[in-house]
Amino acid sequence: MRIKTLRSAIEWAKDKGVALGHFNISDISAFHAITKAAKELGVPIIIGTSEGEADYIDLDVAMAMVIDARKELDHPIFLNADHFRSLEKVREAVIAGYDSVIFDAAGQSIDENIEKTKEVVDLVKTIDKEIFVEGELGYIGESSKIFEEIPEGVEIVRDALPIPEDVARFVKETGVDLIAPAVGNLHGMFKDAPNPKLDIDLIKSIGVSAGVPMVLHGGSGISDEDFKSAIEAGMRIIHVNTEIRVAWREGIEDALEDKSKIAPYKVFPESEDKIYKIVLDRLKLFNGML
Ligand code: G3H
Ligand code: ZN
């Protein structure tokens, strides 16, 4: 594929009316699974590392993996610093060569969020104007995990969600390149129930006034129907993490049933395979192939 920058990948998604898949990694098995699925389908892909994931892998190692895979697969693969919460960490990611940074001050008031996000935009653009900065408006929780009830502090009723005017103000005053508004989505998923429905009308009206592409977080547990409507309403990137983590664990558990298996490179491929199936399925849906 000829797409060389995240900016052109997002343009490509907009032209086609699809969404780019963003999947988080903590290790090489997820990385292999995600890049393999993207290459097979011929769609650009974004790899994400949260602060915790990045600390474990190491920012430079994550970047080296992406640079190597771009070359080896001859494919557009981008790396995102996902939900970074300090200026220092943002700076480290930018210096490591990440393509984008998501600054997450969504748990704070809109004024504080604007002030801090603007500081991040100023810092990043001083280092490299081409690196994208994403801001978040509306609190959707912080953990990619399985839960029994909606996490504390997360509200998904319309009155608690950001209104289009707030989103437009946030984008204008911070200068972000991408915006992730809360639209009934949440981080993590329920064990045995689907996630609450997204507010598709709200996505549409935010899309009209936001002025920059929208990103949907908390993809795990969202129904196929909601995904399709959200993409139609203008979501251009969709994040999935919990489903990857669940698949990773199931793969390891299956592999370890064979007690004689002790070589990590014989255990991890079972996780890779499970993650690959999920990513392939999600990418087909996000890219209008289902
Ligand atoms: O930034 C990461 C995503 O928003 C992950 O959300 O764990 O609910 O799929 P998820
Ligand atoms: Zn997220």
Side-chain angles (χ1 to χ4, degrees), residues 17-30:
V18 300
L20 303 174
H22 172 295
F23 302 92
N24 291 68
I25 61 159
S26 295
D27 74 346
I28 203 160
S29 60

Side-chain angles (χ1 to χ4, degrees), residues 22 24 82-83 102 104 134 136 140-141 144 187 216-219 239:
H22 172 295
N24 291 68
D82 196 22
H83 298 288
I102 299 178
D104 185 348
E134 178 180 326
E136 303 213 9
I140 66 162
S144 283
H187 280 133
L216 180 65
H217 283 252
H239 283 229

Side-chain angles (χ1 to χ4, degrees), residues 205-261:
S205 35
I206 289 175
V208 171
S209 56
V212 294
M214 291 179 291
V215 180
L216 180 65
H217 283 252
S220 299
I222 292 180
S223 69
D224 288 9
E225 187 198 345
D226 263 12
F227 273 135
K228 282 187 184 164
S229 312
I231 295 166
E232 255 177 56
M235 287 293 176
R236 291 295 159 239
I237 297 175
I238 300 179
H239 283 229
V240 178
N241 192 0
T242 311
E243 290 179 5
I244 307 267
R245 292 179 171 185
V246 171
W248 177 86
R249 190 187 166 98
E250 285 172 1
I252 295 284
E253 279 173 353
D254 287 356
L256 293 181
E257 271 180 25
D258 176 352
K259 299 258 185 273
S260 70
K261 262 192 195 166

Side-chain angles (χ1 to χ4, degrees), residues 4 38 45 71 102 107 122 126 131 136-137 143 152 158 160 174-175 186-187 229 238 243 251 259:
K4 295 281 179 243
I45 192 86
K71 232 189 299 161
I102 299 178
D122 291 346
T126 311
I131 295 173
E136 303 213 9
L137 198 55
S143 298
E152 208 186 317
R158 171 64 83 97
T174 58
L186 36 87
H187 280 133
S229 312
I238 300 179
E243 290 179 5
K259 299 258 185 273

Side-chain angles (χ1 to χ4, degrees), residues 45-63:
I45 192 86
I46 307 171
I47 301 287
T49 60
S50 65
E51 280 192 359
E53 289 159 345
D55 280 346
Y56 178 69
I57 303 172
D58 186 89
L59 293 156
D60 293 321
V61 172
M63 194 67 238

